[in-house]
Amino acid sequence: MAQKEGYRARAVYKLSEIDEQDHLIQAGMTVVDLGSAPGSWSQYVRNRLTELGKNNPKIESGKPDGQIIAIDILPMEEIADVNFIQGDFREEEGLKALQALLPKNAESKVDLVLSDMAPNLSGVGVADATRMAYLAEIALDFAANHLKPEGALLIKCFNGSGYSQLVEAFKRHFVTVASRKPPASRAQSSETFLLGRRLKPLKTGV
C-alpha cells in the first residue's frame, strides 16, 4: 500500500493513525522530523499541510500551509517543500544548519517535533533498549529546547527496559503524556510511541 500511495516506507501509516487520533498536524505549523530518512514521515506531513493549505487563500495551490525541516545523518532523496539537512543535530554544525531554517518568530521555536529514529538492532535486548533510550532522550532534549510552549513531541520507543524512566522524563517536561500503539505497528513488536504535549515551565532555582 505504501508503494501504491507513493510513500517510501510503511512507517507512514503509524504516523497517519496517530495523527488521525490526536490531530497533531495543524495549518501553519513548523514541523521538525528528526532521523527523517528515508522520508515517509516528512512526505506525510507535507501532504497533510498541503491538504490544509487548500483552505487558505494565501497559500499557493499545491503548496503546504506550514514548514517542514528534516534532518538525518543518512542521505535522503529530495521531497518537494521539505528542507532536508544531512547532518547530526547533536553536533554544533548540524544544529546550526537546522536553526538557520527555523521561522524567525519570537523565539524561533517549532510546533511539532517527530522522531522515528531507531538504532541498528543487535538482537541483544538490553543493548538495543539502551540504544533506543538514548535516541529517545536526545529527541526529548531537542524538543525541550526548541518547542513552543504549546508544542508537541512524538517519538518511537521500545516498551521494555528503560521505558518507565522515559515516561517519567516525558512527564517532567510535558503537561500531558500518552502512549500510542497504532494498528499499523505489529502487535508482536515492543515498538510503541510516546506523545508529549504542552511544555511545562522550566523551574528556576533560588
Side-chain angles (χ1 to χ4, degrees):
M1 187 184 292
Q3 289 180 336
K4 183 179 179 182
E5 296 186 352
Y7 288 110
R8 297 175 183 178
R10 65 180 298 276
V12 67
Y13 299 110
K14 302 168 190 178
L15 176 58
S16 68
E17 287 164 358
I18 295 170
D19 181 41
E20 187 174 327
Q21 178 178 356
D22 292 286
H23 309 291
L24 292 179
I25 300 166
Q26 304 290 331
M29 275 189 161
T30 295
V31 181
V32 173
D33 184 3
L34 302 175
S36 56
S40 64
W41 278 27
S42 287
Q43 285 180 301
Y44 175 78
V45 175
R46 193 258 178 199
N47 289 345
R48 281 289 296 129
L49 290 175
T50 300
E51 186 68 26
L52 292 165
K54 293 177 182 178
N55 301 319
N56 188 342
K58 295 181 180 179
I59 301 298
E60 182 183 342
S61 177
K63 292 290 184 180
D65 186 357
Q67 181 183 13
I68 308 117
I69 304 167
I71 186 167
D72 202 307
I73 58 175
L74 299 173
M76 186 178 87
E77 191 176 333
E78 182 179 348
I79 299 170
D81 306 306
V82 174
N83 297 293
F84 174 66
I85 301 160
Q86 185 173 353
D88 190 337
F89 68 89
R90 297 169 297 176
E91 297 178 356
E92 187 175 1
E93 185 178 356
L95 186 58
K96 281 186 174 179
L98 192 157
Q99 289 173 330
L101 294 173
L102 295 179
K104 300 303 180 278
N105 54 37
E107 297 179 322
S108 297
K109 300 288 187 179
V110 304
D111 299 282
L112 176 63
V113 174
L114 302 172
S115 172
D116 192 34
M117 292 188 293
N120 293 322
L121 300 180
S122 65
V124 180
V126 174
D128 289 340
T130 300
R131 293 190 190 101
M132 192 67 182
Y134 170 69
L135 293 177
E137 287 164 8
I138 61 175
L140 178 57
D141 183 64
F142 177 87
N145 287 291
H146 293 88
L147 277 176
K148 293 178 181 177
E150 67 276 16
L153 167 66
L154 177 71
I155 67 163
K156 177 164 72 178
C157 55
F158 292 159
N159 192 346
S161 176
Y163 177 73
S164 59
Q165 291 91 331
L166 181 59
V167 172
E168 287 305 311
F170 260 65
K171 288 180 177 178
R172 287 195 296 271
H173 284 88
F174 292 100
V175 174
T176 63
V177 176
S179 63
R180 295 287 180 257
K181 180 75 171 176
S185 181
R186 293 184 177 92
Q188 67 271 27
S189 169
S190 65
E191 173 189 78
T192 190
F193 295 84
L194 273 180
L195 173 61
R197 306 186 92 152
R198 303 196 346 262
L199 284 173
K200 290 181 176 179
L202 289 174
K203 293 181 179 178
T204 55
V206 177

